[in-house]
Amino acid sequence: MTEYDLLNLNYRSLDEAREDMSRLLGERAKNESLPQALYNDPFLFRVDMDEVFMKQWLFAGMTCEVPKAGSYMTVEIGQNPVLIVRDRDGEVRAFHNVCRHRGSRICKASKGKTANLTCPYHQWTYDLKGSLIYTGSAMGENFDMSQHGLKPVHCRTAGGFIYICLAEGEPPEIDEYLQALETYMEPYDMENAKVAVESILEEKANWKLVIENNRECYHCSGSHPELLRTLLEWDDTTDPRATPEFKAQYERQAQEWDNECIPHEHIEFGLRNRIVRMPLKDGTEVMTMDGKAGCKKLMGRIENRQLGSMRILHLPNSWNHMQSDHVIVFQVLPVSAQKTLVITKWLVHKDAVEGEDYDPERLRHVWDATNRQDRELAEQNQRGINSAGYVPGPYSESYEFGVINFLDWYSETVLREFGVPPASVPRQAHG
C-alpha cells in the first residue's frame, strides 16, 4: 500500500468515524455514560474537534491579560494556534496565529507586548488590527498587501471574559448569555484585575471525562477534603439534596446581596451556560484552607466578604468561581483522545501586592489539591473505560444531573451538525 493509499484510507476512516459517532450518539441510552469509543477513539476525537471545538464558542482567557494596546496572548485549539491582541482602539481581537506568507506561527510566547505583529521567519509585519503593513522589497511593486492580512477568528468579550470561535461561517448565537455575564460580572470590575498565579495540568484522560468530573460533586466527600472545608456540595437551591438549613442560609445572604445590588438569581441558557451565586459554608469567606480572606483587597466595588461563590458554566471548556477577593477561572483544552490540558488562573485586584496583600501559595492551595485529585480520578476513569470490561453505566438523576445535562448538550450539538433534529436528542432538566 502506497503513502497515497494510506492518506486516502485515513480520510475514509474519518468519514466512517462520523457515521459511527452519529449512530452511537443517536442510540445512546438515556442517563448512562457514553459508549467506550466516544472516550478513547482517535478518529472520534477528531470528529469532536471538528464539530465541537472548531464550531463552538470557547473560553480563551481574560481581558485583563491583554491590558494595553499591543498586549497579546496565545492559545492552541487542537492544531490551531490562535493569537489574541488588544488593538490601539482598545478592542480585543483574535486571529489565526499564522503568517500569510508561508504559514509560520507569528507569536511564539504565551503572553507578551508588541508594537506590531512580526513573523520571525521573514519579518512580514502586521498591525494590531491584522493588516499586512510590511514585506520588504521581495514581493515586488504589484503585490497587493491588502489581500494578505491575518485571518480573523470570531472574538467576543463580556464581564472580563474572552470567547473565541473558529467557525468559518456564522458562529452560534451567544448574545443573551454575554449580556447576562456583563451584568453579573459588573461588581468585580475585571478590567482592573490581574492574574496572580496560574497552573497547567496535563491529564491523561478524554476531555469529556474532565468535564463530567467537574459537573458533579457525588465524588467530593471521598476525594476533596480541602475543597469541602468551604464548598457546599449541592449545585443550587433546587438541588434535591439541599437541606432546610442551607436554604435558610441562602435567604439570609440573598438579602445582603440585594442590599448591595449584587445579582444572584439563577439563570441558564439552554444546557450550555448557567450562572448561579451560592453561599459557601456558613462562617467562611472564600475557598482557602481556613475559609478566611485570600487577598486583603476586595474585587471591584464589592464590600461584603461573605459573597459566596458565583459559579459560571460555559460548555464545552470552562467553569469558574467568582468570590469576594479573588476569582478562579478554569479552561479545558483537548490535546488528543486521551490527553487534556486543564489551565487554572487565580485573579486578584490589579493593585494587590504579592507578599503584602496576598500569598500565592495560600491563594492556590485548595484548588491545586483539588485539581490534582481530579486528575487522578479522571485518569483512573480513563484506564477503566479502556478495559474490555467497560460498559456504559447509569448516572444518578439527583447527584449527577449536571453530567446528564452536559452529555445531552454534547449529543445535541454534534448531532445537529450532522443534520439530526434536536428534538430527537434525549433531554434532562436540571435537578
Side-chain angles (χ1 to χ4, degrees):
M1 183 175 289
T2 67
E3 191 174 54
Y4 178 81
D5 290 329
L6 284 171
L7 184 63
N8 283 335
L9 177 61
N10 285 338
Y11 281 124
R12 286 198 299 273
S13 295
L14 186 56
D15 289 339
E16 291 169 359
R18 293 177 186 277
E19 294 177 5
D20 287 345
M21 179 174 281
S22 181
R23 175 180 54 79
L24 290 170
L25 290 178
E27 296 175 355
R28 75 181 181 96
K30 184 176 175 62
N31 299 357
E32 287 188 358
S33 58
L34 297 174
Q36 182 184 61
L38 289 168
Y39 292 119
N40 65 9
D41 182 271
F43 283 105
L44 296 190
F45 171 78
R46 169 70 183 276
V47 179
D48 271 359
M49 295 304 295
D50 287 350
E51 305 302 338
V52 179
F53 283 83
M54 291 294 292
K55 295 181 179 179
Q56 296 297 311
W57 286 102
L58 307 174
F59 170 58
M62 305 299 290
T63 56
C64 64
E65 296 182 78
V66 287
K68 299 178 180 178
S71 298
Y72 71 85
M73 60 189 298
T74 58
V75 61
E76 304 274 337
I77 310 300
Q79 297 186 55
N80 298 278
V82 176
L83 166 66
I84 299 166
V85 63
R86 192 182 290 264
D87 69 20
R88 290 183 175 83
D89 295 326
E91 182 178 350
V92 177
R93 297 174 176 269
F95 303 97
H96 288 277
N97 189 11
V98 178
C99 183
R100 293 296 306 279
H101 178 210
R102 285 169 54 186
S104 174
R105 271 199 319 166
I106 297 171
C107 294
K108 297 182 289 184
S110 60
K111 294 179 184 177
K113 190 174 186 299
T114 184
N116 291 301
L117 304 166
T118 301
C119 177
Y121 201 173
H122 300 94
Q123 286 69 57
W124 279 34
T125 302
Y126 307 82
D127 67 17
L128 301 181
K129 295 182 185 293
S131 299
L132 180 62
I133 58 175
Y134 175 79
T135 64
S137 59
M139 304 310 295
E141 295 181 359
N142 296 324
F143 180 69
D144 187 354
M145 291 198 294
S146 69
Q147 300 300 308
H148 294 81
L150 295 179
K151 293 187 66 175
V153 169
H154 300 289
C155 182
R156 299 289 300 276
T157 64
F161 286 77
I162 302 172
Y163 295 99
I164 61 172
C165 179
L166 277 67
E168 292 187 4
E170 285 296 313
E173 189 282 326
I174 198 174
D175 287 354
E176 191 178 6
Y177 163 67
L178 294 183
Q179 291 167 7
L181 185 63
E182 191 73 41
T183 298
Y184 276 65
M185 288 299 298
E186 177 273 327
Y188 299 89
D189 187 19
M190 293 304 297
E191 283 287 321
N192 288 305
K194 67 179 180 181
V195 175
V197 64
E198 178 177 347
S199 77
I200 302 176
L201 281 185
E202 181 181 282
E203 302 192 9
K204 296 177 182 176
N206 185 271
W207 70 275
K208 293 187 289 296
L209 294 179
V210 175
I211 298 293
E212 286 188 40
N213 179 72
N214 168 261
R215 299 313 306 138
E216 50 90 359
C217 210
Y218 185 19
H219 69 277
C220 289
S221 61
S223 301
H224 297 320
E226 296 85 358
L227 183 63
L228 292 185
R229 294 170 76 97
T230 57
L231 183 74
L232 295 166
E233 293 185 50
W234 31 83
D235 206 51
D236 57 36
T237 54
T238 65
D239 192 309
R241 300 169 296 154
T243 65
E245 292 78 13
F246 160 70
K247 293 181 179 180
Q249 178 192 352
Y250 180 90
E251 292 303 322
R252 290 195 305 272
Q253 291 197 233
Q255 184 60 57
E256 295 177 4
W257 301 335
D258 285 336
N259 292 340
E260 297 183 38
C261 298
I262 302 293
H264 60 84
E265 181 183 356
H266 176 140
I267 56 173
E268 54 189 60
F269 304 90
L271 298 177
R272 180 179 65 180
N273 297 113
R274 67 195 300 263
I275 305 175
V276 57
R277 185 179 301 282
M278 285 284 286
L280 295 171
K281 283 189 174 178
D282 204 6
T284 64
E285 298 175 357
V286 293
M287 295 177 180
T288 53
M289 283 296 287
D290 61 4
K292 303 303 180 185
C295 182
K296 291 180 181 179
K297 289 188 178 296
L298 293 168
M299 301 294 292
R301 65 172 177 83
I302 293 166
E303 298 179 358
N304 179 5
R305 284 196 172 272
Q306 290 195 344
L307 201 62
S309 169
M310 186 171 76
R311 307 176 188 181
I312 301 172
L313 171 69
H314 176 76
L315 297 177
N317 81 320
S318 180
W319 63 87
N320 312 274
H321 285 279
M322 311 292 129
Q323 302 164 94
S324 59
D325 62 23
H326 70 282
V327 306
I328 313 170
V329 298
F330 301 84
Q331 180 184 31
V332 173
L333 297 175
V335 177
S336 67
Q338 299 185 47
K339 185 181 295 184
T340 305
L341 296 183
V342 176
I343 301 171
T344 308
K345 298 172 185 176
W346 291 258
L347 296 98
V348 298
H349 192 287
K350 72 174 184 179
D351 295 332
V353 178
E354 181 178 336
E356 180 178 325
D357 294 311
Y358 67 94
D359 175 1
E361 294 306 313
R362 171 180 167 79
L363 203 65
R364 68 186 294 172
H365 183 95
V366 168
W367 273 103
D368 267 351
T370 303
N371 284 342
R372 288 193 298 269
Q373 292 152 1
D374 281 336
R375 176 175 61 181
E376 172 69 12
L377 292 170
E379 291 182 348
Q380 292 303 320
N381 198 178
Q382 182 71 67
R383 291 181 68 179
I385 284 173
N386 289 344
S387 165
Y390 169 76
V391 293
Y395 293 120
S396 164
E397 294 190 16
S398 57
Y399 284 74
E400 296 171 298
F401 64 86
V403 183
I404 296 170
N405 288 338
F406 162 57
L407 291 184
D408 282 352
W409 175 86
Y410 165 73
S411 299
E412 178 178 324
T413 298
V414 174
L415 289 175
R416 184 188 296 113
E417 294 297 334
F418 291 157
V420 179
S424 66
V425 181
R427 299 296 294 272
Q428 171 70 26
H430 282 295

